[in-house]
Amino acid sequence: MDNIEKFNTIATLAVANYDIQFQEIKFLAEETNILYKLTDDKSNPFILKIYQEDSITKEDILMEVYMMELVSQKGEVSVPCILTAKDGSKIQEIKIDEDNHPKRVVIYSWLEGEDLDGNENEERFVQLGELTAKLHNATYGATVPKIFSPKRWDAVFYYHQENVVYKDSKYQHFLTKDYHEIMDKMIPYLNHQLSSYYQKNEENLQFIHSDLNPWNILVHEKAMHVIDFGDILFGLPQHDIAILLYYYRYEKEFNYKEVQQLLFKGYERVRPLPMFEEFDLELLMTARRVNFLNYILTVSEDPSSFIEKSLPRVKEFIDTYNVKI
Protein backbone atom coordinates (compact mmCIF):
# COMPACT_ATOMS: atom_id res chain seq x y z
CA MET A 1 0.00 0.00 0.00
CA ASP A 2 1.58 3.32 -1.07
CA ASN A 3 1.36 6.44 1.07
CA ILE A 4 -1.54 8.08 -0.77
CA GLU A 5 -3.57 4.89 -0.65
CA LYS A 6 -2.73 4.52 3.04
CA PHE A 7 -3.81 8.08 3.86
CA ASN A 8 -7.00 7.67 1.81
CA THR A 9 -7.84 4.59 3.86
CA ILE A 10 -7.14 6.40 7.14
CA ALA A 11 -9.35 9.34 6.10
CA THR A 12 -12.18 7.01 5.07
CA LEU A 13 -12.05 5.08 8.35
CA ALA A 14 -11.93 8.30 10.38
CA VAL A 15 -15.01 9.94 8.83
CA ALA A 16 -17.06 6.83 9.56
CA ASN A 17 -16.77 7.71 13.27
CA TYR A 18 -18.92 10.85 12.86
CA ASP A 19 -22.67 11.32 12.59
CA ILE A 20 -22.20 13.67 9.63
CA GLN A 21 -22.84 12.13 6.23
CA PHE A 22 -19.74 12.95 4.21
CA GLN A 23 -20.23 12.70 0.45
CA GLU A 24 -16.73 13.54 -0.76
CA ILE A 25 -13.21 13.06 0.61
CA LYS A 26 -10.66 14.94 -1.47
CA PHE A 27 -6.89 15.04 -0.90
CA LEU A 28 -5.88 18.66 -0.34
CA ALA A 29 -2.21 18.93 0.56
CA GLU A 30 0.78 17.26 2.16
CA GLU A 31 2.52 19.78 4.37
CA THR A 32 3.77 19.00 7.86
CA ASN A 33 0.54 17.02 8.11
CA ILE A 34 -1.82 15.47 5.55
CA LEU A 35 -4.93 17.51 4.75
CA TYR A 36 -8.21 16.47 3.10
CA LYS A 37 -11.24 18.54 2.19
CA LEU A 38 -14.53 16.90 3.13
CA THR A 39 -18.01 17.77 1.88
CA ASP A 40 -21.19 16.62 3.61
CA ASP A 41 -24.60 15.85 2.10
CA LYS A 42 -25.58 19.51 2.48
CA SER A 43 -22.49 20.73 0.60
CA ASN A 44 -20.85 22.04 3.79
CA PRO A 45 -17.04 21.85 3.65
CA PHE A 46 -14.73 20.57 6.41
CA ILE A 47 -11.03 19.88 6.70
CA LEU A 48 -9.52 16.62 7.91
CA LYS A 49 -5.97 16.56 9.27
CA ILE A 50 -3.85 13.43 9.62
CA TYR A 51 -0.96 14.11 11.98
CA GLN A 52 2.13 12.75 10.30
CA GLU A 53 4.98 13.47 12.72
CA ASP A 54 5.60 10.96 15.49
CA SER A 55 6.98 13.82 17.62
CA ILE A 56 3.44 15.24 17.88
CA THR A 57 1.91 13.56 20.91
CA LYS A 58 -1.72 13.12 21.84
CA GLU A 59 -1.11 15.69 24.59
CA ASP A 60 0.05 18.20 21.96
CA ILE A 61 -3.20 17.74 20.04
CA LEU A 62 -5.31 17.94 23.20
CA MET A 63 -3.61 21.24 24.06
CA GLU A 64 -4.38 22.46 20.55
CA VAL A 65 -8.04 21.53 21.07
CA TYR A 66 -8.05 23.19 24.50
CA MET A 67 -6.68 26.50 23.23
CA MET A 68 -8.95 26.60 20.19
CA GLU A 69 -11.95 26.07 22.43
CA LEU A 70 -10.75 28.80 24.81
CA VAL A 71 -10.50 31.23 21.92
CA SER A 72 -13.78 30.13 20.38
CA GLN A 73 -15.67 30.60 23.68
CA LYS A 74 -14.70 34.28 23.77
CA GLY A 75 -16.23 34.72 20.34
CA GLU A 76 -13.96 37.59 19.24
CA VAL A 77 -11.52 35.63 17.07
CA SER A 78 -12.58 33.42 14.18
CA VAL A 79 -10.94 29.99 14.49
CA PRO A 80 -11.89 26.54 13.21
CA CYS A 81 -14.13 24.37 15.38
CA ILE A 82 -13.11 20.78 16.03
CA LEU A 83 -15.85 18.23 15.40
CA THR A 84 -16.87 15.70 18.04
CA ALA A 85 -17.17 12.06 16.98
CA LYS A 86 -19.99 9.69 17.86
CA ASP A 87 -18.19 8.52 20.98
CA GLY A 88 -17.62 12.09 22.22
CA SER A 89 -13.92 12.19 21.29
CA LYS A 90 -12.16 14.98 19.40
CA ILE A 91 -9.21 12.89 18.21
CA GLN A 92 -9.45 9.67 16.22
CA GLU A 93 -6.66 7.10 16.35
CA ILE A 94 -6.68 5.02 13.18
CA LYS A 95 -4.48 1.95 12.74
CA ILE A 96 -4.56 0.14 9.40
CA ASP A 97 -1.73 -2.38 9.82
CA GLU A 98 0.35 -3.99 12.53
CA ASP A 99 3.62 -2.49 11.35
CA ASN A 100 2.82 1.16 12.05
CA HIS A 101 1.64 3.25 14.97
CA PRO A 102 -1.94 4.60 14.83
CA LYS A 103 -2.34 7.88 13.01
CA ARG A 104 -4.18 10.64 14.85
CA VAL A 105 -6.93 12.40 12.92
CA VAL A 106 -8.98 15.52 13.62
CA ILE A 107 -11.80 17.13 11.61
CA TYR A 108 -12.28 20.90 11.67
CA SER A 109 -14.91 23.24 10.33
CA TRP A 110 -13.87 24.94 7.10
CA LEU A 111 -12.96 28.64 7.07
CA GLU A 112 -13.17 30.41 3.74
CA GLY A 113 -10.27 32.65 2.82
CA GLU A 114 -6.87 33.20 1.26
CA ASP A 115 -3.52 33.44 3.00
CA LEU A 116 -2.68 36.86 4.38
CA ASP A 117 0.57 36.46 2.46
CA GLY A 118 0.16 38.49 -0.71
CA ASN A 119 -2.94 40.28 0.62
CA GLU A 120 -1.28 42.68 3.06
CA ASN A 121 -2.05 46.39 3.21
CA GLU A 122 -2.15 49.05 5.93
CA GLU A 123 -5.71 48.21 6.94
CA ARG A 124 -4.88 44.50 7.16
CA PHE A 125 -1.83 45.13 9.36
CA VAL A 126 -3.93 47.16 11.80
CA GLN A 127 -6.58 44.44 11.74
CA LEU A 128 -3.87 41.86 12.40
CA GLY A 129 -2.75 43.81 15.46
CA GLU A 130 -6.33 43.83 16.73
CA LEU A 131 -6.67 40.11 16.05
CA THR A 132 -3.47 39.30 17.93
CA ALA A 133 -4.62 41.33 20.94
CA LYS A 134 -8.03 39.61 20.95
CA LEU A 135 -6.27 36.25 20.78
CA HIS A 136 -4.24 37.19 23.85
CA ASN A 137 -7.33 38.42 25.67
CA ALA A 138 -9.02 35.11 24.99
CA THR A 139 -6.36 33.05 26.75
CA TYR A 140 -5.28 35.54 29.42
CA GLY A 141 -5.77 34.13 32.90
CA ALA A 142 -6.61 30.60 31.71
CA THR A 143 -5.06 27.97 33.94
CA VAL A 144 -2.97 25.14 32.54
CA PRO A 145 -4.76 21.83 33.17
CA LYS A 146 -2.60 19.48 35.25
CA ILE A 147 -2.56 16.91 32.47
CA PHE A 148 -0.67 19.33 30.19
CA SER A 149 3.02 20.20 30.06
CA PRO A 150 3.09 22.92 27.40
CA LYS A 151 6.26 23.93 25.62
CA ARG A 152 8.08 27.06 26.79
CA TRP A 153 10.29 29.19 24.57
CA ASP A 154 13.05 29.25 27.14
CA ALA A 155 15.74 27.90 24.81
CA VAL A 156 16.59 28.15 21.13
CA PHE A 157 15.61 24.51 20.58
CA TYR A 158 12.39 24.10 22.52
CA TYR A 159 10.29 21.70 20.43
CA HIS A 160 9.77 18.18 21.75
CA GLN A 161 12.41 15.80 20.39
CA GLU A 162 14.00 18.58 18.33
CA ASN A 163 17.34 17.41 16.97
CA VAL A 164 20.35 19.73 16.89
CA VAL A 165 21.94 18.51 13.68
CA TYR A 166 24.35 21.20 12.52
CA LYS A 167 27.33 19.21 13.85
CA ASP A 168 26.41 16.14 11.80
CA SER A 169 29.02 15.27 9.18
CA LYS A 170 26.48 14.91 6.36
CA TYR A 171 25.67 18.66 6.48
CA GLN A 172 29.19 20.05 6.65
CA HIS A 173 29.54 20.71 2.91
CA PHE A 174 26.86 23.39 3.35
CA LEU A 175 28.45 24.99 6.40
CA THR A 176 31.41 27.29 6.98
CA LYS A 177 33.67 27.96 9.93
CA ASP A 178 31.82 31.26 10.34
CA TYR A 179 28.47 29.44 10.59
CA HIS A 180 29.79 27.15 13.32
CA GLU A 181 31.40 29.95 15.32
CA ILE A 182 28.23 32.02 15.33
CA MET A 183 25.95 29.09 16.20
CA ASP A 184 28.29 27.78 18.91
CA LYS A 185 28.45 31.17 20.61
CA MET A 186 24.93 32.47 20.01
CA ILE A 187 23.01 29.41 21.18
CA PRO A 188 24.24 29.59 24.83
CA TYR A 189 23.76 33.38 24.84
CA LEU A 190 20.22 33.14 23.48
CA ASN A 191 19.35 30.27 25.83
CA HIS A 192 20.31 32.44 28.80
CA GLN A 193 18.29 35.40 27.51
CA LEU A 194 15.22 33.34 26.60
CA SER A 195 15.20 31.68 30.00
CA SER A 196 15.44 35.07 31.73
CA TYR A 197 12.13 36.21 30.19
CA TYR A 198 10.38 33.41 32.06
CA GLN A 199 12.19 34.12 35.31
CA LYS A 200 11.26 37.80 35.19
CA ASN A 201 7.68 37.45 33.88
CA GLU A 202 6.21 34.35 35.49
CA GLU A 203 2.98 36.18 36.39
CA ASN A 204 2.39 37.22 32.75
CA LEU A 205 2.65 33.78 31.16
CA GLN A 206 -0.30 32.45 29.16
CA PHE A 207 -1.15 30.19 26.24
CA ILE A 208 -0.11 31.78 22.95
CA HIS A 209 -0.37 30.69 19.32
CA SER A 210 3.43 30.84 18.74
CA ASP A 211 3.25 30.46 14.97
CA LEU A 212 1.41 33.57 13.79
CA ASN A 213 2.70 33.82 10.26
CA PRO A 214 1.12 35.08 7.01
CA TRP A 215 0.09 31.52 6.07
CA ASN A 216 -1.72 30.84 9.34
CA ILE A 217 -3.89 33.92 8.91
CA LEU A 218 -6.72 33.74 6.37
CA VAL A 219 -8.53 36.76 4.96
CA HIS A 220 -11.92 36.73 3.29
CA GLU A 221 -13.63 40.00 2.37
CA LYS A 222 -13.38 41.98 5.65
CA ALA A 223 -12.91 38.90 7.84
CA MET A 224 -9.67 37.54 9.25
CA HIS A 225 -9.26 34.03 10.66
CA VAL A 226 -6.53 32.29 12.68
CA ILE A 227 -5.68 28.66 11.87
CA ASP A 228 -3.14 25.98 12.82
CA PHE A 229 -2.76 25.99 16.59
CA GLY A 230 -0.38 23.04 16.49
CA ASP A 231 2.62 24.93 17.90
CA ILE A 232 1.03 26.54 20.96
CA LEU A 233 3.21 27.21 23.95
CA PHE A 234 3.05 28.77 27.39
CA GLY A 235 4.75 32.10 26.93
CA LEU A 236 4.41 35.86 26.72
CA PRO A 237 2.36 37.99 24.32
CA GLN A 238 5.61 39.53 23.04
CA HIS A 239 6.64 36.08 21.84
CA ASP A 240 3.69 36.05 19.43
CA ILE A 241 4.39 39.63 18.36
CA ALA A 242 8.05 38.88 17.61
CA ILE A 243 7.18 35.74 15.65
CA LEU A 244 4.69 37.69 13.56
CA LEU A 245 7.18 40.50 12.89
CA TYR A 246 9.88 38.00 11.97
CA TYR A 247 8.16 37.43 8.63
CA TYR A 248 8.30 41.14 7.72
CA ARG A 249 11.63 42.11 9.27
CA TYR A 250 13.62 41.81 6.06
CA GLU A 251 10.91 41.74 3.38
CA LYS A 252 11.92 44.34 0.80
CA GLU A 253 8.37 45.10 -0.33
CA PHE A 254 7.46 46.32 3.17
CA ASN A 255 8.76 49.10 5.36
CA TYR A 256 9.38 47.12 8.52
CA LYS A 257 8.99 50.07 10.89
CA GLU A 258 5.67 51.00 9.31
CA VAL A 259 4.44 47.41 9.59
CA GLN A 260 5.49 47.35 13.24
CA GLN A 261 3.70 50.60 14.03
CA LEU A 262 0.51 49.51 12.25
CA LEU A 263 0.47 46.23 14.20
CA PHE A 264 1.04 48.08 17.47
CA LYS A 265 -1.72 50.57 16.60
CA GLY A 266 -4.21 47.77 16.09
CA TYR A 267 -3.07 45.89 19.20
CA GLU A 268 -3.46 48.96 21.42
CA ARG A 269 -7.04 49.43 20.24
CA VAL A 270 -7.85 46.24 22.13
CA ARG A 271 -5.39 45.95 25.02
CA PRO A 272 -2.18 47.65 26.22
CA LEU A 273 0.95 46.65 24.39
CA PRO A 274 3.17 44.39 26.54
CA MET A 275 6.26 45.95 28.08
CA PHE A 276 9.31 45.29 25.92
CA GLU A 277 12.20 47.08 24.24
CA GLU A 278 13.21 46.89 20.59
CA PHE A 279 16.12 44.74 21.75
CA ASP A 280 13.67 42.12 23.06
CA LEU A 281 11.87 41.82 19.73
CA GLU A 282 15.16 41.64 17.84
CA LEU A 283 16.49 39.00 20.22
CA LEU A 284 13.38 36.83 19.86
CA MET A 285 13.49 37.13 16.08
CA THR A 286 17.18 36.23 16.13
CA ALA A 287 16.47 33.19 18.31
CA ARG A 288 13.89 32.03 15.76
CA ARG A 289 16.40 32.60 12.96
CA VAL A 290 19.09 30.59 14.74
CA ASN A 291 16.59 27.79 15.31
CA PHE A 292 15.73 27.80 11.60
CA LEU A 293 19.44 27.77 10.65
CA ASN A 294 19.58 24.33 12.22
CA TYR A 295 16.10 23.18 11.14
CA ILE A 296 16.62 24.08 7.48
CA LEU A 297 19.30 21.40 7.25
CA THR A 298 16.72 18.68 7.94
CA VAL A 299 14.04 19.85 5.49
CA SER A 300 15.87 21.32 2.50
CA GLU A 301 17.95 19.57 -0.13
CA ASP A 302 19.92 22.78 -0.55
CA PRO A 303 19.76 25.14 2.46
CA SER A 304 22.53 27.39 1.09
CA SER A 305 20.27 30.28 0.11
CA PHE A 306 18.59 30.46 3.52
CA ILE A 307 21.96 30.27 5.30
CA GLU A 308 23.48 32.97 3.10
CA LYS A 309 20.58 35.32 3.89
CA SER A 310 20.18 34.48 7.57
CA LEU A 311 23.73 34.38 8.91
CA PRO A 312 24.40 38.09 8.15
CA ARG A 313 21.14 38.95 9.93
CA VAL A 314 22.35 37.20 13.07
CA LYS A 315 25.64 39.12 12.74
CA GLU A 316 23.67 42.35 12.38
CA PHE A 317 21.97 41.69 15.72
CA ILE A 318 25.35 41.01 17.35
CA ASP A 319 26.83 44.23 15.97
CA THR A 320 23.81 46.46 16.58
CA TYR A 321 23.50 45.51 20.23
CA ASN A 322 27.22 44.97 20.85
CA VAL A 323 26.50 41.44 22.02
CA LYS A 324 29.40 39.82 23.85
CA ILE A 325 29.55 36.14 22.94
Side-chain angles (χ1 to χ4, degrees):
M1 183 182 293
D2 63 24
N3 278 345
I4 291 297
E5 185 181 354
K6 179 179 73 174
F7 291 130
N8 288 345
T9 300
I10 290 169
T12 301
L13 291 172
V15 299
N17 294 329
Y18 294 80
D19 285 323
I20 297 173
Q21 299 299 310
F22 292 107
Q23 299 294 318
E24 184 179 24
I25 305 173
K26 182 180 179 182
F27 177 80
L28 193 61
E30 180 175 1
E31 297 170 347
T32 305
N33 302 298
I34 306 298
L35 303 176
Y36 283 80
K37 183 176 182 180
L38 311 177
T39 308
D40 70 7
D41 55 353
K42 298 178 182 177
S43 299
N44 297 312
F46 301 84
I47 191 160
L48 179 146
K49 179 193 289 187
I50 301 173
Y51 290 86
Q52 194 166 207
E53 294 188 359
D54 292 335
S55 61
I56 299 174
T57 66
K58 188 171 183 178
E59 180 187 335
D60 292 331
I61 304 172
L62 287 171
M63 281 193 291
E64 180 181 352
V65 172
Y66 176 73
M67 180 162 172
M68 290 173 67
E69 290 182 343
L70 273 179
V71 175
S72 183
Q73 286 166 12
K74 293 288 183 178
E76 293 191 319
V77 179
S78 176
V79 299
C81 294
I82 296 179
L83 273 63
T84 303
K86 295 174 185 177
D87 63 0
S89 64
K90 304 282 188 180
I91 304 167
Q92 304 302 306
E93 293 190 324
I94 308 296
K95 187 176 178 69
I96 60 172
D97 58 56
E98 294 303 318
D99 297 328
N100 296 295
H101 295 295
K103 290 295 185 183
R104 297 188 173 99
V105 182
V106 172
I107 298 180
Y108 302 91
S109 60
W110 181 274
L111 291 175
E112 199 65 49
E114 299 178 344
D115 293 343
L116 174 63
D117 179 50
N119 289 290
E120 297 97 338
N121 56 42
E122 289 189 7
E123 184 180 347
R124 285 298 192 193
F125 282 127
V126 173
Q127 185 181 14
L128 184 55
E130 294 175 350
L131 186 79
T132 305
K134 289 174 182 177
L135 196 59
H136 293 159
N137 273 347
T139 62
Y140 177 75
T143 57
V144 180
K146 292 181 180 180
I147 61 169
F148 294 156
S149 300
K151 297 188 294 290
R152 293 179 171 222
W153 192 7
D154 55 3
V156 171
F157 304 109
Y158 62 95
Y159 285 90
H160 299 318
Q161 301 176 352
E162 185 168 17
N163 295 317
V164 182
V165 300
Y166 75 91
K167 296 290 188 182
D168 292 1
S169 58
K170 64 181 177 180
Y171 299 120
Q172 298 314 305
H173 61 289
F174 293 119
L175 309 180
T176 62
K177 180 181 178 182
D178 198 25
Y179 173 101
H180 278 282
E181 287 181 351
I182 289 174
M183 294 289 278
D184 289 348
K185 292 177 180 179
M186 280 299 288
I187 290 167
Y189 168 80
L190 291 168
N191 285 345
H192 173 75
Q193 296 292 335
L194 292 168
S195 178
S196 73
Y197 290 126
Y198 282 84
Q199 295 166 12
K200 296 173 183 176
N201 296 281
E202 191 70 33
E203 69 282 1
N204 296 320
L205 297 173
Q206 63 181 92
F207 277 113
I208 61 171
H209 186 284
S210 98
D211 197 20
L212 288 176
N213 64 58
W215 304 274
N216 284 339
I217 307 294
L218 301 180
V219 295
H220 179 64
E221 297 175 350
K222 293 187 177 181
M224 186 174 279
H225 315 294
V226 183
I227 62 171
D228 197 349
F229 285 76
D231 289 321
I232 68 166
L233 58 79
F234 202 56
L236 298 166
Q238 48 265 48
H239 286 147
D240 263 349
I241 293 169
I243 288 168
L244 184 50
L245 288 170
Y246 171 91
Y247 293 93
Y248 298 99
R249 178 64 178 84
Y250 289 100
E251 282 296 316
K252 292 182 180 179
E253 64 181 287
F254 300 104
N255 181 311
Y256 170 69
K257 283 297 180 184
E258 287 182 5
V259 170
Q260 188 186 76
Q261 292 307 310
L262 290 167
L263 284 169
F264 292 174
K265 178 182 177 181
Y267 196 99
E268 289 180 314
R269 286 180 177 178
V270 177
R271 73 195 310 250
L273 201 64
M275 295 289 290
F276 55 77
E277 302 293 333
E278 194 68 25
F279 166 80
D280 301 310
L281 292 180
E282 292 291 338
L283 183 137
L284 291 168
M285 287 188 280
T286 300
R288 191 168 181 85
R289 190 164 288 111
V290 169
N291 179 293
F292 285 174
L293 277 164
N294 175 76
Y295 176 69
I296 194 70
L297 300 174
T298 67
V299 296
S300 174
E301 292 183 1
D302 185 1
S304 302
S305 176
F306 181 84
I307 293 169
E308 288 169 6
K309 287 189 301 183
S310 298
L311 212 57
R313 294 168 183 176
V314 178
K315 290 181 184 178
E316 181 181 335
F317 171 78
I318 295 170
D319 294 341
T320 300
Y321 293 100
N322 194 25
V323 174
K324 305 298 182 184
I325 55 174

